[in-house]
Amino acid sequence: MGELIVTTFDWVPETPRGYVRDLRLCWALEEAGLPYRVEGVPFHSRDAGHFSHQPFGQVPWLTDGDISIFESGAILLYLGERSEVLMPADPHRRLEVIEWLFAALNSVEMASLPWSLFHFAGDTHVTPGKQTLDNFLASRLQHLESILAQREWLAGTFSIADIAMADVLRLVDRFDGLAQSPTCREYISRAMARPAFVKAHADQLAFYAAAD
Amino acid sequence: MGELIVTTFDWVPETPRGYVRDLRLCWALEEAGLPYRVEGVPFHSRDAGHFSHQPFGQVPWLTDGDISIFESGAILLYLGERSEVLMPADPHRRLEVIEWLFAALNSVEMASLPWSLFHFAGDTHVTPGKQTLDNFLASRLQHLESILAQREWLAGTFSIADIAMADVLRLVDRFDGLAQSPTCREYISRAMARPAFVKAHADQLAFYAAAD
């Protein structure tokens, strides 16, 4: 393994601070005790070099020697394969982690992130499509509420699946979308109390405070 | 490897036919030449047995002997690890496939599926949140258009990443969302011309026609 470098934007507006997706990587790296550093790439001018690492012009990406990976889900899986703290090597338990990682990103965040875009835009219009989207998220949260009532972490022990799911739910909670989901709120409180989250979150806020 | 069984709904309304997510699995299984069969689970009454396999009450799931996996992304990865036709074993190329698999599900589908919900609802209201969602999808498609102009398949050769991405884009095209994305349209035409897609798609339509 080479030197691990997490690349994120060198500056972001106030609103996304504490929620930029490099947090998912830094949180995992802190949990695993893997040394890494964070580098900034211009937020305002995204050049060909940026797109060669992240084809959608987004962040983060991870470099590990001559390897460069984008998509926080893919990076969490990459790190999970390097640390049993993040993902057990046992094939059955590994599968459980992977299905819950995809569930966080493709079953829950696929509903919650678009829902949050309406909140960011201050949009309170009630239209048929918006109601469908609201119901889509409510259904996902309702089922998740039942699941989390029976377990501390999604795949038995804490894993990359919880990093993804807790970070996804944190943004829902920001807009008070977990009012009917007390068990989900307890789950994110547990996750956010972990020293690795606390450090990664504080580091992101400090990184952007220093950039102003 | 045990007997591979894909479980999907035993019946669905007309609208989603040809688009139910078991298609992604059957397409992959056909590409790999792995024998499998499809089983139906009640669409109208989802019991505890259903939720024990798929905690959101959705489909599909895959069983392989005593293993049961949900989330089509996780299942594609599971099948990819069993067939080099679906995902090369070379570590660098495998990583490329995995990042594009997550890109399909968490960068593109996270924008496109919610966008399609507004179309399914016949909702044409222009509100600030909806405009943000439209712009979110347009930006993803614009970057994808540049990427696909340079390559036949996302990760060098055809892989599970293309199964996911092409199926995601097919639903956008259904609502004429690729009008400004001719290269994406050519890409899905290439993907849909593959005999494995043609068979899996025809089989899904026949399965539901027989259920009426």
Side-chain angles (χ1 to χ4, degrees):
Chain A
M1 193 132 96
E3 187 190 19
L4 294 172
I5 303 170
V6 173
T7 301
T8 189
F9 288 127
D10 62 354
W11 177 90
V12 294
E14 202 64 42
T15 315
R17 292 182 187 193
Y19 293 87
V20 182
R21 279 163 175 251
D22 63 81
L23 180 70
R24 297 179 186 185
L25 280 54
C26 296
W27 182 0
L29 288 158
E30 294 289 345
E31 293 279 357
L34 293 168
Y36 67 99
R37 63 189 170 85
V38 176
E39 279 192 358
V41 72
F43 174 77
H44 286 295
S45 60
R46 302 175 195 183
D47 63 12
H50 185 147
F51 282 92
S52 74
H53 288 283
Q54 216 296 349
F56 297 98
Q58 299 299 309
V59 295
W61 66 83
L62 179 81
T63 48
D64 177 6
D66 65 340
I67 294 172
S68 176
I69 326 170
F70 70 100
E71 283 293 329
S72 49
I75 299 166
L76 286 176
L77 190 56
Y78 180 82
L79 295 174
E81 288 177 348
R82 272 146 195 81
S83 165
E84 288 226 30
V85 171
L86 299 174
M87 182 167 72
D90 171 77
H92 278 73
R93 300 212 35 227
R94 176 176 176 271
L95 265 178
E96 267 192 275
V97 171
I98 292 175
E99 62 189 3
W100 280 107
L101 173 64
F102 278 99
L105 303 178
N106 199 228
S107 280
V108 182
E109 193 172 34
M110 191 163 75
S112 66
L113 193 284
W115 173 88
S116 73
L117 294 180
F118 285 78
H119 283 272
F120 278 121
D123 186 340
T124 56
H125 293 87
V126 180
T127 71
K130 180 58 170 34
Q131 282 182 302
T132 306
L133 182 58
D134 289 350
N135 294 342
F136 182 31
L137 177 60
S139 165
R140 294 301 199 242
L141 292 177
Q142 185 200 324
H143 293 307
L144 202 52
E145 193 73 3
S146 311
I147 293 152
L148 290 171
Q150 300 157 20
R151 52 184 97 172
E152 186 179 12
W153 304 113
L154 291 168
T157 53
F158 183 86
S159 73
I160 48 171
D162 297 297
I163 292 178
M165 188 70 86
D167 196 52
V168 163
L169 293 177
R170 242 169 27 94
L171 187 59
V172 180
D173 193 44
R174 182 180 188 171
F175 295 114
D176 204 27
L178 298 182
Q180 310 301 319
S181 311
T183 308
C184 289
R185 295 196 71 191
E186 285 163 28
Y187 169 73
I188 59 173
S189 295
R190 273 199 300 284
M192 292 170 68
R194 295 178 71 88
F197 173 86
V198 173
K199 174 153 193 324
H201 186 255
D203 283 355
Q204 181 175 108
L205 295 179
F207 182 84
Y208 289 123
D212 277 330
Chain B
M1 196 133 89
E3 187 190 18
L4 294 171
I5 303 169
V6 173
T7 302
T8 189
F9 288 126
D10 63 353
W11 177 90
V12 294
E14 201 65 43
T15 315
R17 293 183 186 193
Y19 292 88
V20 182
R21 278 162 176 252
D22 64 80
L23 181 70
R24 297 179 187 185
L25 280 55
C26 297
W27 182 0
L29 288 158
E30 294 288 343
E31 293 278 357
L34 293 168
Y36 67 100
R37 62 188 170 87
V38 176
E39 279 192 356
V41 71
F43 175 77
H44 285 294
S45 61
R46 302 175 196 183
D47 63 12
H50 185 147
F51 282 93
S52 75
H53 287 283
Q54 217 297 350
F56 298 97
Q58 299 299 308
V59 295
W61 68 82
L62 179 81
T63 47
D64 177 5
D66 66 338
I67 294 172
S68 176
I69 326 170
F70 69 100
E71 283 294 329
S72 49
I75 298 167
L76 285 177
L77 190 55
Y78 180 82
L79 295 175
E81 289 177 349
R82 271 145 195 83
S83 165
E84 288 227 30
V85 171
L86 298 174
M87 182 167 72
D90 170 77
H92 278 73
R93 300 214 31 230
R94 176 176 176 274
L95 265 178
E96 267 192 274
V97 170
I98 292 175
E99 63 189 3
W100 279 108
L101 173 64
F102 278 98
L105 303 178
N106 200 227
S107 281
V108 181
E109 193 172 34
M110 190 164 74
S112 65
L113 193 283
W115 172 89
S116 72
L117 294 179
F118 285 76
H119 283 273
F120 277 122
D123 185 341
T124 55
H125 293 87
V126 181
T127 72
K130 181 56 169 37
Q131 282 181 304
T132 307
L133 183 58
D134 289 350
N135 293 341
F136 182 32
L137 177 59
S139 164
R140 294 300 198 246
L141 293 177
Q142 185 199 324
H143 293 307
L144 201 52
E145 192 73 4
S146 310
I147 292 151
L148 289 171
Q150 298 157 23
R151 54 184 94 172
E152 186 178 12
W153 304 112
L154 290 168
T157 52
F158 183 85
S159 73
I160 48 172
D162 297 297
I163 291 176
M165 188 70 87
D167 196 52
V168 163
L169 293 177
R170 236 166 37 93
L171 187 58
V172 181
D173 192 43
R174 181 178 188 172
F175 296 114
D176 204 27
L178 297 183
Q180 309 301 317
S181 310
T183 307
C184 289
R185 296 197 70 191
E186 284 164 29
Y187 169 74
I188 58 174
S189 294
R190 272 199 299 284
M192 293 170 67
R194 296 179 71 89
F197 172 86
V198 172
K199 172 149 192 332
H201 185 256
D203 284 354
Q204 181 174 109
L205 295 180
F207 182 84
Y208 288 122
D212 277 330

mmCIF file of all heavy atoms in Angstrom, chain B residues 170-208:
data_model
loop_
_atom_site.group_PDB
_atom_site.id
_atom_site.type_symbol
_atom_site.label_atom_id
_atom_site.label_comp_id
_atom_site.label_asym_id
_atom_site.label_seq_id
_atom_site.Cartn_x
_atom_site.Cartn_y
_atom_site.Cartn_z
ATOM 1 N N ARG B 170 -31.569 3.367 -19.656
ATOM 2 C CA ARG B 170 -32.750 2.918 -20.401
ATOM 3 C C ARG B 170 -34.027 3.562 -19.864
ATOM 4 O O ARG B 170 -34.928 3.928 -20.605
ATOM 5 C CB ARG B 170 -32.882 1.391 -20.224
ATOM 6 C CG ARG B 170 -32.914 0.605 -21.488
ATOM 7 C CD ARG B 170 -32.698 -0.874 -21.267
ATOM 8 N NE ARG B 170 -33.282 -1.433 -20.070
ATOM 9 C CZ ARG B 170 -34.498 -1.993 -19.991
ATOM 10 N NH1 ARG B 170 -35.291 -2.026 -21.031
ATOM 11 N NH2 ARG B 170 -34.915 -2.520 -18.864
ATOM 12 N N LEU B 171 -34.102 3.720 -18.531
ATOM 13 C CA LEU B 171 -35.302 4.312 -17.926
ATOM 14 C C LEU B 171 -35.362 5.821 -18.191
ATOM 15 O O LEU B 171 -36.440 6.401 -18.304
ATOM 16 C CB LEU B 171 -35.332 4.016 -16.413
ATOM 17 C CG LEU B 171 -36.603 4.432 -15.664
ATOM 18 C CD1 LEU B 171 -37.845 3.763 -16.244
ATOM 19 C CD2 LEU B 171 -36.489 4.120 -14.172
ATOM 20 N N VAL B 172 -34.194 6.460 -18.290
ATOM 21 C CA VAL B 172 -34.165 7.881 -18.644
ATOM 22 C C VAL B 172 -34.661 8.048 -20.078
ATOM 23 O O VAL B 172 -35.468 8.930 -20.387
ATOM 24 C CB VAL B 172 -32.732 8.460 -18.501
ATOM 25 C CG1 VAL B 172 -32.718 9.944 -18.860
ATOM 26 C CG2 VAL B 172 -32.193 8.237 -17.083
ATOM 27 N N ASP B 173 -34.190 7.163 -20.950
ATOM 28 C CA ASP B 173 -34.568 7.236 -22.363
ATOM 29 C C ASP B 173 -36.066 7.012 -22.546
ATOM 30 O O ASP B 173 -36.685 7.590 -23.447
ATOM 31 C CB ASP B 173 -33.775 6.180 -23.148
ATOM 32 C CG ASP B 173 -33.873 6.377 -24.649
ATOM 33 O OD1 ASP B 173 -33.769 7.542 -25.096
ATOM 34 O OD2 ASP B 173 -34.053 5.385 -25.375
ATOM 35 N N ARG B 174 -36.640 6.195 -21.685
ATOM 36 C CA ARG B 174 -38.070 5.901 -21.777
ATOM 37 C C ARG B 174 -38.902 7.175 -21.699
ATOM 38 O O ARG B 174 -39.961 7.282 -22.310
ATOM 39 C CB ARG B 174 -38.449 4.965 -20.619
ATOM 40 C CG ARG B 174 -39.897 4.568 -20.626
ATOM 41 C CD ARG B 174 -40.195 3.604 -19.491
ATOM 42 N NE ARG B 174 -41.547 3.091 -19.619
ATOM 43 C CZ ARG B 174 -42.052 2.117 -18.879
ATOM 44 N NH1 ARG B 174 -41.318 1.545 -17.948
ATOM 45 N NH2 ARG B 174 -43.285 1.702 -19.044
ATOM 46 N N PHE B 175 -38.418 8.149 -20.909
ATOM 47 C CA PHE B 175 -39.126 9.434 -20.757
ATOM 48 C C PHE B 175 -38.439 10.527 -21.564
ATOM 49 O O PHE B 175 -38.504 11.694 -21.226
ATOM 50 C CB PHE B 175 -39.213 9.801 -19.279
ATOM 51 C CG PHE B 175 -40.039 8.830 -18.470
ATOM 52 C CD1 PHE B 175 -39.449 8.046 -17.490
ATOM 53 C CD2 PHE B 175 -41.395 8.696 -18.714
ATOM 54 C CE1 PHE B 175 -40.219 7.143 -16.751
ATOM 55 C CE2 PHE B 175 -42.162 7.799 -17.980
ATOM 56 C CZ PHE B 175 -41.574 7.021 -17.003
ATOM 57 N N ASP B 176 -37.727 10.113 -22.604
ATOM 58 C CA ASP B 176 -37.071 11.015 -23.541
ATOM 59 C C ASP B 176 -36.039 11.937 -22.860
ATOM 60 O O ASP B 176 -35.803 13.050 -23.308
ATOM 61 C CB ASP B 176 -38.120 11.862 -24.282
ATOM 62 C CG ASP B 176 -37.573 12.338 -25.620
ATOM 63 O OD1 ASP B 176 -36.699 11.660 -26.189
ATOM 64 O OD2 ASP B 176 -38.022 13.406 -26.089
ATOM 65 N N GLY B 177 -35.411 11.443 -21.816
ATOM 66 C CA GLY B 177 -34.420 12.242 -21.095
ATOM 67 C C GLY B 177 -33.037 12.208 -21.702
ATOM 68 O O GLY B 177 -32.125 12.865 -21.197
ATOM 69 N N LEU B 178 -32.865 11.460 -22.797
ATOM 70 C CA LEU B 178 -31.546 11.404 -23.437
ATOM 71 C C LEU B 178 -31.526 12.176 -24.760
ATOM 72 O O LEU B 178 -30.633 11.972 -25.585
ATOM 73 C CB LEU B 178 -31.126 9.949 -23.681
ATOM 74 C CG LEU B 178 -30.939 9.062 -22.437
ATOM 75 C CD1 LEU B 178 -30.458 7.673 -22.845
ATOM 76 C CD2 LEU B 178 -29.953 9.681 -21.445
ATOM 77 N N ALA B 179 -32.501 13.071 -24.945
ATOM 78 C CA ALA B 179 -32.591 13.810 -26.207
ATOM 79 C C ALA B 179 -31.307 14.606 -26.488
ATOM 80 O O ALA B 179 -30.902 14.766 -27.638
ATOM 81 C CB ALA B 179 -33.803 14.741 -26.190
ATOM 82 N N GLN B 180 -30.654 15.091 -25.427
ATOM 83 C CA GLN B 180 -29.416 15.860 -25.596
ATOM 84 C C GLN B 180 -28.179 14.975 -25.423
ATOM 85 O O GLN B 180 -27.064 15.492 -25.268
ATOM 86 C CB GLN B 180 -29.343 17.001 -24.561
ATOM 87 C CG GLN B 180 -30.578 17.886 -24.483
ATOM 88 C CD GLN B 180 -30.898 18.552 -25.807
ATOM 89 O OE1 GLN B 180 -29.988 19.047 -26.478
ATOM 90 N NE2 GLN B 180 -32.160 18.543 -26.195
ATOM 91 N N SER B 181 -28.365 13.679 -25.381
ATOM 92 C CA SER B 181 -27.257 12.764 -25.065
ATOM 93 C C SER B 181 -27.162 11.640 -26.093
ATOM 94 O O SER B 181 -27.348 10.463 -25.769
ATOM 95 C CB SER B 181 -27.473 12.163 -23.668
ATOM 96 O OG SER B 181 -27.741 13.166 -22.701
ATOM 97 N N PRO B 182 -26.837 12.006 -27.366
ATOM 98 C CA PRO B 182 -26.823 10.973 -28.418
ATOM 99 C C PRO B 182 -25.818 9.852 -28.148
ATOM 100 O O PRO B 182 -26.074 8.699 -28.521
ATOM 101 C CB PRO B 182 -26.437 11.766 -29.683
ATOM 102 C CG PRO B 182 -25.816 13.035 -29.190
ATOM 103 C CD PRO B 182 -26.498 13.337 -27.891
ATOM 104 N N THR B 183 -24.720 10.169 -27.505
ATOM 105 C CA THR B 183 -23.709 9.138 -27.259
ATOM 106 C C THR B 183 -24.206 8.145 -26.217
ATOM 107 O O THR B 183 -23.935 6.938 -26.304
ATOM 108 C CB THR B 183 -22.392 9.793 -26.811
ATOM 109 O OG1 THR B 183 -22.047 10.792 -27.782
ATOM 110 C CG2 THR B 183 -21.268 8.795 -26.721
ATOM 111 N N CYS B 184 -24.943 8.642 -25.219
ATOM 112 C CA CYS B 184 -25.571 7.738 -24.241
ATOM 113 C C CYS B 184 -26.593 6.840 -24.920
ATOM 114 O O CYS B 184 -26.717 5.661 -24.597
ATOM 115 C CB CYS B 184 -26.246 8.539 -23.119
ATOM 116 S SG CYS B 184 -25.096 9.354 -21.990
ATOM 117 N N ARG B 185 -27.332 7.401 -25.870
ATOM 118 C CA ARG B 185 -28.324 6.589 -26.580
ATOM 119 C C ARG B 185 -27.651 5.500 -27.410
ATOM 120 O O ARG B 185 -28.137 4.375 -27.477
ATOM 121 C CB ARG B 185 -29.198 7.468 -27.492
ATOM 122 C CG ARG B 185 -30.035 8.478 -26.696
ATOM 123 C CD ARG B 185 -31.161 9.025 -27.531
ATOM 124 N NE ARG B 185 -32.165 7.999 -27.757
ATOM 125 C CZ ARG B 185 -33.157 8.099 -28.617
ATOM 126 N NH1 ARG B 185 -33.281 9.196 -29.356
ATOM 127 N NH2 ARG B 185 -34.036 7.131 -28.751
ATOM 128 N N GLU B 186 -26.536 5.836 -28.053
ATOM 129 C CA GLU B 186 -25.798 4.812 -28.827
ATOM 130 C C GLU B 186 -25.284 3.715 -27.885
ATOM 131 O O GLU B 186 -25.277 2.540 -28.234
ATOM 132 C CB GLU B 186 -24.618 5.445 -29.575
ATOM 133 C CG GLU B 186 -25.043 6.220 -30.806
ATOM 134 C CD GLU B 186 -23.939 7.159 -31.305
ATOM 135 O OE1 GLU B 186 -22.741 6.856 -31.091
ATOM 136 O OE2 GLU B 186 -24.284 8.212 -31.876
ATOM 137 N N TYR B 187 -24.843 4.153 -26.714
ATOM 138 C CA TYR B 187 -24.332 3.200 -25.721
ATOM 139 C C TYR B 187 -25.422 2.205 -25.301
ATOM 140 O O TYR B 187 -25.200 0.994 -25.286
ATOM 141 C CB TYR B 187 -23.790 3.993 -24.526
ATOM 142 C CG TYR B 187 -23.453 3.206 -23.284
ATOM 143 C CD1 TYR B 187 -22.320 2.397 -23.223
ATOM 144 C CD2 TYR B 187 -24.256 3.304 -22.142
ATOM 145 C CE1 TYR B 187 -22.002 1.695 -22.065
ATOM 146 C CE2 TYR B 187 -23.941 2.610 -20.983
ATOM 147 C CZ TYR B 187 -22.814 1.804 -20.951
ATOM 148 O OH TYR B 187 -22.508 1.121 -19.805
ATOM 149 N N ILE B 188 -26.617 2.713 -25.001
ATOM 150 C CA ILE B 188 -27.660 1.755 -24.579
ATOM 151 C C ILE B 188 -28.126 0.888 -25.756
ATOM 152 O O ILE B 188 -28.469 -0.265 -25.558
ATOM 153 C CB ILE B 188 -28.858 2.408 -23.834
ATOM 154 C CG1 ILE B 188 -29.557 3.481 -24.642
ATOM 155 C CG2 ILE B 188 -28.421 2.966 -22.482
ATOM 156 C CD1 ILE B 188 -30.829 4.001 -23.950
ATOM 157 N N SER B 189 -28.063 1.432 -26.968
ATOM 158 C CA SER B 189 -28.398 0.593 -28.129
ATOM 159 C C SER B 189 -27.413 -0.561 -28.253
ATOM 160 O O SER B 189 -27.818 -1.708 -28.507
ATOM 161 C CB SER B 189 -28.358 1.415 -29.425
ATOM 162 O OG SER B 189 -29.377 2.373 -29.417
ATOM 163 N N ARG B 190 -26.113 -0.256 -28.084
ATOM 164 C CA ARG B 190 -25.089 -1.319 -28.123
ATOM 165 C C ARG B 190 -25.367 -2.369 -27.051
ATOM 166 O O ARG B 190 -25.276 -3.565 -27.296
ATOM 167 C CB ARG B 190 -23.707 -0.723 -27.797
ATOM 168 C CG ARG B 190 -22.922 -0.180 -28.959
ATOM 169 C CD ARG B 190 -21.435 -0.054 -28.633
ATOM 170 N NE ARG B 190 -21.075 0.827 -27.531
ATOM 171 C CZ ARG B 190 -21.061 2.145 -27.566
ATOM 172 N NH1 ARG B 190 -21.462 2.784 -28.650
ATOM 173 N NH2 ARG B 190 -20.682 2.851 -26.513
ATOM 174 N N ALA B 191 -25.685 -1.883 -25.848
ATOM 175 C CA ALA B 191 -25.901 -2.798 -24.721
ATOM 176 C C ALA B 191 -27.137 -3.665 -24.967
ATOM 177 O O ALA B 191 -27.126 -4.877 -24.723
ATOM 178 C CB ALA B 191 -26.042 -2.002 -23.427
ATOM 179 N N MET B 192 -28.214 -3.040 -25.469
ATOM 180 C CA MET B 192 -29.473 -3.753 -25.655
ATOM 181 C C MET B 192 -29.432 -4.695 -26.852
ATOM 182 O O MET B 192 -30.327 -5.522 -27.017
ATOM 183 C CB MET B 192 -30.625 -2.753 -25.800
ATOM 184 C CG MET B 192 -30.890 -1.986 -24.520
ATOM 185 S SD MET B 192 -32.049 -0.600 -24.756
ATOM 186 C CE MET B 192 -33.558 -1.488 -25.125
ATOM 187 N N ALA B 193 -28.413 -4.548 -27.709
ATOM 188 C CA ALA B 193 -28.276 -5.458 -28.850
ATOM 189 C C ALA B 193 -27.584 -6.757 -28.443
ATOM 190 O O ALA B 193 -27.540 -7.708 -29.220
ATOM 191 C CB ALA B 193 -27.478 -4.768 -29.969
ATOM 192 N N ARG B 194 -27.035 -6.809 -27.244
ATOM 193 C CA ARG B 194 -26.340 -8.023 -26.797
ATOM 194 C C ARG B 194 -27.364 -9.152 -26.594
ATOM 195 O O ARG B 194 -28.411 -8.949 -25.967
ATOM 196 C CB ARG B 194 -25.579 -7.754 -25.493
ATOM 197 C CG ARG B 194 -24.474 -6.731 -25.676
ATOM 198 C CD ARG B 194 -23.757 -6.456 -24.370
ATOM 199 N NE ARG B 194 -22.932 -7.572 -23.942
ATOM 200 C CZ ARG B 194 -21.669 -7.758 -24.287
ATOM 201 N NH1 ARG B 194 -21.053 -6.891 -25.087
ATOM 202 N NH2 ARG B 194 -20.986 -8.797 -23.835
ATOM 203 N N PRO B 195 -27.044 -10.345 -27.112
ATOM 204 C CA PRO B 195 -27.992 -11.457 -26.991
ATOM 205 C C PRO B 195 -28.429 -11.724 -25.545
ATOM 206 O O PRO B 195 -29.591 -12.092 -25.312
ATOM 207 C CB PRO B 195 -27.206 -12.645 -27.576
ATOM 208 C CG PRO B 195 -26.227 -12.023 -28.526
ATOM 209 C CD PRO B 195 -25.864 -10.701 -27.925
ATOM 210 N N ALA B 196 -27.538 -11.529 -24.583
ATOM 211 C CA ALA B 196 -27.888 -11.785 -23.178
ATOM 212 C C ALA B 196 -28.955 -10.811 -22.690
ATOM 213 O O ALA B 196 -29.854 -11.188 -21.932
ATOM 214 C CB ALA B 196 -26.635 -11.684 -22.298
ATOM 215 N N PHE B 197 -28.879 -9.537 -23.114
ATOM 216 C CA PHE B 197 -29.930 -8.585 -22.759
ATOM 217 C C PHE B 197 -31.236 -8.977 -23.429
ATOM 218 O O PHE B 197 -32.307 -8.991 -22.791
ATOM 219 C CB PHE B 197 -29.559 -7.141 -23.152
ATOM 220 C CG PHE B 197 -30.718 -6.202 -22.950
ATOM 221 C CD1 PHE B 197 -30.941 -5.611 -21.718
ATOM 222 C CD2 PHE B 197 -31.638 -5.957 -23.970
ATOM 223 C CE1 PHE B 197 -32.045 -4.783 -21.504
ATOM 224 C CE2 PHE B 197 -32.753 -5.140 -23.761
ATOM 225 C CZ PHE B 197 -32.945 -4.549 -22.534
ATOM 226 N N VAL B 198 -31.173 -9.265 -24.738
ATOM 227 C CA VAL B 198 -32.377 -9.584 -25.507
ATOM 228 C C VAL B 198 -33.126 -10.754 -24.854
ATOM 229 O O VAL B 198 -34.339 -10.696 -24.660
ATOM 230 C CB VAL B 198 -32.006 -9.909 -26.978
ATOM 231 C CG1 VAL B 198 -33.226 -10.432 -27.741
ATOM 232 C CG2 VAL B 198 -31.426 -8.676 -27.668
ATOM 233 N N LYS B 199 -32.374 -11.777 -24.445
ATOM 234 C CA LYS B 199 -33.003 -12.956 -23.836
ATOM 235 C C LYS B 199 -33.600 -12.605 -22.462
ATOM 236 O O LYS B 199 -34.755 -12.931 -22.172
ATOM 237 C CB LYS B 199 -31.998 -14.089 -23.698
ATOM 238 C CG LYS B 199 -32.557 -15.269 -22.892
ATOM 239 C CD LYS B 199 -31.998 -16.586 -23.314
ATOM 240 C CE LYS B 199 -32.738 -17.795 -22.738
ATOM 241 N NZ LYS B 199 -33.422 -17.657 -21.481
ATOM 242 N N ALA B 200 -32.815 -11.931 -21.629
ATOM 243 C CA ALA B 200 -33.290 -11.614 -20.277
ATOM 244 C C ALA B 200 -34.526 -10.711 -20.333
ATOM 245 O O ALA B 200 -35.470 -10.868 -19.559
ATOM 246 C CB ALA B 200 -32.168 -10.948 -19.477
ATOM 247 N N HIS B 201 -34.532 -9.763 -21.253
ATOM 248 C CA HIS B 201 -35.647 -8.830 -21.411
ATOM 249 C C HIS B 201 -36.902 -9.570 -21.891
ATOM 250 O O HIS B 201 -37.994 -9.405 -21.328
ATOM 251 C CB HIS B 201 -35.240 -7.721 -22.383
ATOM 252 C CG HIS B 201 -36.256 -6.634 -22.533
ATOM 253 N ND1 HIS B 201 -37.063 -6.529 -23.633
ATOM 254 C CD2 HIS B 201 -36.600 -5.623 -21.702
ATOM 255 C CE1 HIS B 201 -37.869 -5.480 -23.485
ATOM 256 N NE2 HIS B 201 -37.609 -4.904 -22.316
ATOM 257 N N ALA B 202 -36.728 -10.404 -22.921
ATOM 258 C CA ALA B 202 -37.863 -11.173 -23.452
ATOM 259 C C ALA B 202 -38.409 -12.116 -22.377
ATOM 260 O O ALA B 202 -39.629 -12.285 -22.235
ATOM 261 C CB ALA B 202 -37.433 -11.958 -24.697
ATOM 262 N N ASP B 203 -37.510 -12.723 -21.615
ATOM 263 C CA ASP B 203 -37.940 -13.640 -20.551
ATOM 264 C C ASP B 203 -38.763 -12.909 -19.495
ATOM 265 O O ASP B 203 -39.752 -13.454 -18.994
ATOM 266 C CB ASP B 203 -36.722 -14.297 -19.868
ATOM 267 C CG ASP B 203 -36.098 -15.396 -20.728
ATOM 268 O OD1 ASP B 203 -36.666 -15.733 -21.789
ATOM 269 O OD2 ASP B 203 -35.029 -15.915 -20.326
ATOM 270 N N GLN B 204 -38.374 -11.686 -19.142
ATOM 271 C CA GLN B 204 -39.152 -10.946 -18.130
ATOM 272 C C GLN B 204 -40.543 -10.628 -18.662
ATOM 273 O O GLN B 204 -41.537 -10.781 -17.953
ATOM 274 C CB GLN B 204 -38.436 -9.642 -17.710
ATOM 275 C CG GLN B 204 -39.241 -8.913 -16.643
ATOM 276 C CD GLN B 204 -38.531 -7.677 -16.069
ATOM 277 O OE1 GLN B 204 -38.934 -6.547 -16.344
ATOM 278 N NE2 GLN B 204 -37.506 -7.899 -15.291
ATOM 279 N N LEU B 205 -40.626 -10.184 -19.900
ATOM 280 C CA LEU B 205 -41.941 -9.875 -20.479
ATOM 281 C C LEU B 205 -42.810 -11.131 -20.525
ATOM 282 O O LEU B 205 -44.006 -11.088 -20.191
ATOM 283 C CB LEU B 205 -41.784 -9.278 -21.887
ATOM 284 C CG LEU B 205 -41.086 -7.905 -21.947
ATOM 285 C CD1 LEU B 205 -40.997 -7.436 -23.401
ATOM 286 C CD2 LEU B 205 -41.820 -6.851 -21.105
ATOM 287 N N ALA B 206 -42.224 -12.262 -20.899
ATOM 288 C CA ALA B 206 -42.970 -13.521 -20.988
ATOM 289 C C ALA B 206 -43.422 -13.988 -19.592
ATOM 290 O O ALA B 206 -44.543 -14.483 -19.422
ATOM 291 C CB ALA B 206 -42.103 -14.598 -21.649
ATOM 292 N N PHE B 207 -42.554 -13.806 -18.607
ATOM 293 C CA PHE B 207 -42.862 -14.211 -17.230
ATOM 294 C C PHE B 207 -44.107 -13.472 -16.743
ATOM 295 O O PHE B 207 -45.007 -14.067 -16.148
ATOM 296 C CB PHE B 207 -41.645 -13.894 -16.350
ATOM 297 C CG PHE B 207 -41.769 -14.285 -14.895
ATOM 298 C CD1 PHE B 207 -41.480 -15.588 -14.493
ATOM 299 C CD2 PHE B 207 -42.140 -13.357 -13.927
ATOM 300 C CE1 PHE B 207 -41.556 -15.962 -13.151
ATOM 301 C CE2 PHE B 207 -42.225 -13.715 -12.587
ATOM 302 C CZ PHE B 207 -41.948 -15.030 -12.197
ATOM 303 N N TYR B 208 -44.181 -12.175 -17.016
ATOM 304 C CA TYR B 208 -45.336 -11.393 -16.543
ATOM 305 C C TYR B 208 -46.569 -11.589 -17.436
ATOM 306 O O TYR B 208 -47.703 -11.526 -16.939
ATOM 307 C CB TYR B 208 -44.964 -9.909 -16.372
ATOM 308 C CG TYR B 208 -44.060 -9.741 -15.174
ATOM 309 C CD1 TYR B 208 -42.805 -9.173 -15.268
ATOM 310 C CD2 TYR B 208 -44.466 -10.216 -13.927
ATOM 311 C CE1 TYR B 208 -41.968 -9.065 -14.158
ATOM 312 C CE2 TYR B 208 -43.638 -10.123 -12.812
ATOM 313 C CZ TYR B 208 -42.395 -9.547 -12.932
ATOM 314 O OH TYR B 208 -41.592 -9.464 -11.825
#
